[in-house]
Amino acid sequence: MATISTNPADQAAGTADAPRKAKRRTPGAPKAGRQLHAGPFTYIVLIVFTAVSLFPLVWTAIAASRTNSRLAQTPPPFWFGSNLFSNLQTAWTEANLSTALLNTAIVAGSITIGTVLFSTIAGFAFAKLQFKMKNFLLMLTIGTMMVPPQLSVVPLFLWIADLDWTNHLQAVILPTFVSAFGVFFMRQYLSQALPTEIIEAARVDGASSLRIVWHVVFPAARPAMAVLGMLTFVAAWNDFFWPIIALTQENPTVQVALTSLGRGYIPDESVIMAGALLGTLPLLLVFVIFGKQIVGGIMQGAVKG
C-alpha cells in the first residue's frame, strides 16, 4: 500500500518536479517550432480544387482560340486553336473595349476607395463612439441590405434622369459609393481589433477626431480594409445590372460592352469568349500585383485577433 510522505522536504521536491512532468511531450505530438508537412491526400485535394477553379478560365481561353463552327461540334474542343489573337482583335474593336476598360477601372477604383474610406469611418463611429439613436441607425443601415436592389431601380433611374446623369459614369459610381455591408463589416472588426483605451489615450494627448481616425483607426483597420477593398473592387468590376440601365454602348463599362458581342442572328461564341477573356485579365493582373499585400493584410488581422 502506498504511503504519503509528511516530510516537508519531500513535498517541496515533489512540487518542484511537477512542472517538469507537465512539460513532457506527449508521444506522437509535434515538437514546438517544427514545420508541419502535408500528406499525399492533402496534395490530391488541393490539386483537384485548383483544377476545378481554373477550368472556367482555361475553357474561356480555349473557346476564344477556336471558331464558332468548331465550338458547335460534338465533342467540344479541349485544346487551344490558332484563332486567339484574331478573335481578341475582333472583340476589342467591336465592343469598344479600350473605352470600356478605362471606364470600368475608373468606376471600380472610385467605388472601392469610397466604400473602404467611408465604411471604415462609419464603422468606427458605430463601434466606439457614443451618440443618440446609435443602435437605431445601425439597425436601419443593416436593414437596407434586406431590400432587393430591383425595387430601387425605378426611383433611382428617375433621380439620375432628373440630374441629367444618364450615360455618365457618376450615375454608376455614386449610388454604390458606400455599402451597408461595408459599414457592418468594419464595425464588427473594429469592435474587437481596436481597444477603447487607445482612443482614450489619444484624446488625453490632445488628438483631434480626424487625427485619431488617421493615426489610430486606419492602421488598426488595415487588414479589414484590404479584404473589403478586394471584395468591393471585384463586385464593382463585374457589376452588370445597374450599369446596363444607366449607361449605353457609347460610354460603357466592360460588362455593358460585352453585350454588343452577343447581338445578331447567330452570335459568334468564340468572339464573345475572347471579349470575356479581355474583361477578366485586368482582375487577374490586380491579384498578381497586389495578392501578396492582400493576403499579408488578412494574415496580420488573423494574428492580431
Side-chain angles (χ1 to χ4, degrees), residues 1 12 108 159 175 184:
M1 180 177 180
W159 176 61
F184 178 72

Side-chain angles (χ1 to χ4, degrees), residues 25 47 57 65 75 94 126 133 169 212 223 230 263 270:
R25 184 170 61 92
I47 291 173
L57 181 62
S65 65
E94 292 185 0
F126 282 121
M133 302 178 67
L169 296 183
I212 291 175
M230 177 187 64
R263 298 176 180 177
S270 60

Side-chain angles (χ1 to χ4, degrees), residues 130-199:
Q130 298 297 329
F131 51 91
K132 294 182 179 180
M133 302 178 67
K134 172 182 174 179
N135 295 331
F136 172 75
L137 292 176
L138 179 60
M139 291 298 103
L140 184 63
T141 302
I142 298 175
T144 59
M145 300 171 57
M146 305 177 186
V147 180
Q150 292 81 0
L151 296 180
S152 61
V153 167
V154 174
L156 184 58
F157 182 80
L158 293 177
W159 176 61
I160 294 298
D162 291 338
L163 294 174
D164 199 20
W165 285 357
T166 307
N167 202 28
H168 290 79
L169 296 183
Q170 59 264 33
V172 181
I173 296 174
L174 292 181
T176 54
F177 207 56
V178 180
S179 68
F181 169 78
V183 174
F184 178 72
F185 177 77
M186 296 305 302
R187 186 261 180 193
Q188 294 299 107
Y189 180 83
L190 291 174
S191 296
Q192 302 294 330
L194 182 60
T196 307
E197 292 78 8
I198 297 179
I199 303 173

Side-chain angles (χ1 to χ4, degrees), residues 235-257:
W237 187 278
N238 294 326
D239 189 18
F240 174 76
F241 179 70
W242 175 243
I244 194 64
I245 297 174
L247 302 177
T248 66
Q249 296 296 336
E250 298 177 359
N251 193 33
T253 58
V254 169
Q255 310 305 327
V256 177

Side-chain angles (χ1 to χ4, degrees), residues 116 221-231 293-295 297-298:
V116 173
R222 191 175 302 167
M225 293 170 69
V227 176
L228 180 61
M230 177 187 64
L231 297 176
Q293 288 79 1
I294 294 174
V295 174
I298 298 173

